[in-house]
Amino acid sequence: MSPLKIKEGSTSHSAYNLRPNYSDTVERHTLAVLVENEPGVLARVIGLFSGRGYNIDSLTVAEVDHTGHRSRITIVTSGTPQIITQIKAQLGRIVPVHDVHDLTVEGPSVERELALLKVSGTGDHRIEAIRLADIFRANVVDSTLESFVFEITGTPEKIDAFADLMRPLGLQEVARTGVAALARGAL
């Protein structure tokens, strides 16, 4: 107790409150970055992550405005709230970056990913693979006597679940596009 009989750090309004007011919880965030479509921009954005030891869980890039020469980079990353805030601030300072949106905190958004999965098998395994594909609304885009290639679109969690179920049935290969995301509703 201090001479004023106030417990140390008892109020968050104290000038001497040295307790950290941030969270150590690691969160997954989807960032949408609008950039100039010019050489080297992607390398600069990715360099920001690698130079600071941040991980990118998913990365999708495509030109979205042909006349304005702009591309959209969708990045899924994980970090504490402080790290995510720092990433957004540093992205905003890169010269060819026009806009940075954190779709995770700005409201509801829609995320989708496309995956191709090659599953090999015969007999009952083939029948079960087709049955599961029907349940997950996956399409058969190629078929041989030994294997199928399935195309599935959905959330990353849906694709993970489908891949997990296909593993014991002979999953051989997986190709994923990465997350594409948009905010829901009006601007």
Side-chain angles (χ1 to χ4, degrees):
M1 293 285 269
S2 67
L4 297 175
K5 298 186 180 184
I6 299 173
K7 283 184 154 184
E8 192 174 320
S10 64
T11 176
S12 61
H13 302 291
S14 169
Y16 301 103
N17 181 15
L18 301 178
R19 290 180 291 175
N21 59 350
Y22 53 84
S23 171
D24 288 335
T25 307
V26 175
E27 303 169 346
R28 179 183 170 272
H29 284 254
T30 303
L31 307 176
V33 186
L34 191 64
V35 299
E36 284 293 321
N37 188 14
E38 59 186 42
V41 174
L42 180 60
R44 290 169 67 184
V45 169
I46 301 312
L48 181 145
F49 282 80
S50 65
R52 289 161 182 79
Y54 304 145
N55 189 40
I56 295 174
D57 298 327
S58 173
L59 176 70
T60 307
V61 185
E63 186 175 45
V64 292
D65 182 3
H66 298 295
T67 57
H69 301 291
R70 295 201 176 165
S71 291
R72 181 184 178 100
I73 302 173
T74 305
I75 303 167
V76 179
T77 189
S78 299
T80 63
Q82 295 73 34
I83 288 175
I84 299 299
T85 301
Q86 184 179 22
I87 288 171
K88 291 188 296 189
Q90 291 170 348
L91 280 170
R93 287 195 288 267
I94 297 175
V95 173
V97 171
H98 292 282
D99 218 356
V100 178
H101 291 280
D102 186 346
L103 298 176
T104 305
V105 297
E106 290 181 7
S109 63
V110 177
E111 291 186 0
R112 292 294 180 266
E113 186 173 5
L114 173 84
L116 298 174
L117 295 90
K118 184 188 286 185
V119 179
S120 64
T122 57
D124 289 342
H125 285 261
R126 285 177 69 88
I127 295 168
E128 185 63 19
I130 292 290
R131 194 178 359 228
L132 286 170
D134 187 46
I135 292 169
F136 278 83
R137 295 189 181 141
N139 298 316
V140 176
V141 293
D142 184 54
S143 178
T144 66
L145 294 175
E146 297 86 29
S147 68
F148 288 115
V149 175
F150 295 105
E151 171 190 72
I152 184 168
T153 305
T155 63
E157 294 79 16
K158 176 183 175 181
I159 293 172
D160 289 340
F162 184 65
D164 288 344
L165 290 172
M166 288 295 165
R167 259 185 201 85
L169 300 176
L171 181 65
Q172 297 296 309
E173 227 177 318
V174 178
R176 295 174 78 151
T177 60
V179 173
L182 286 175
R184 292 186 64 205
L187 296 174

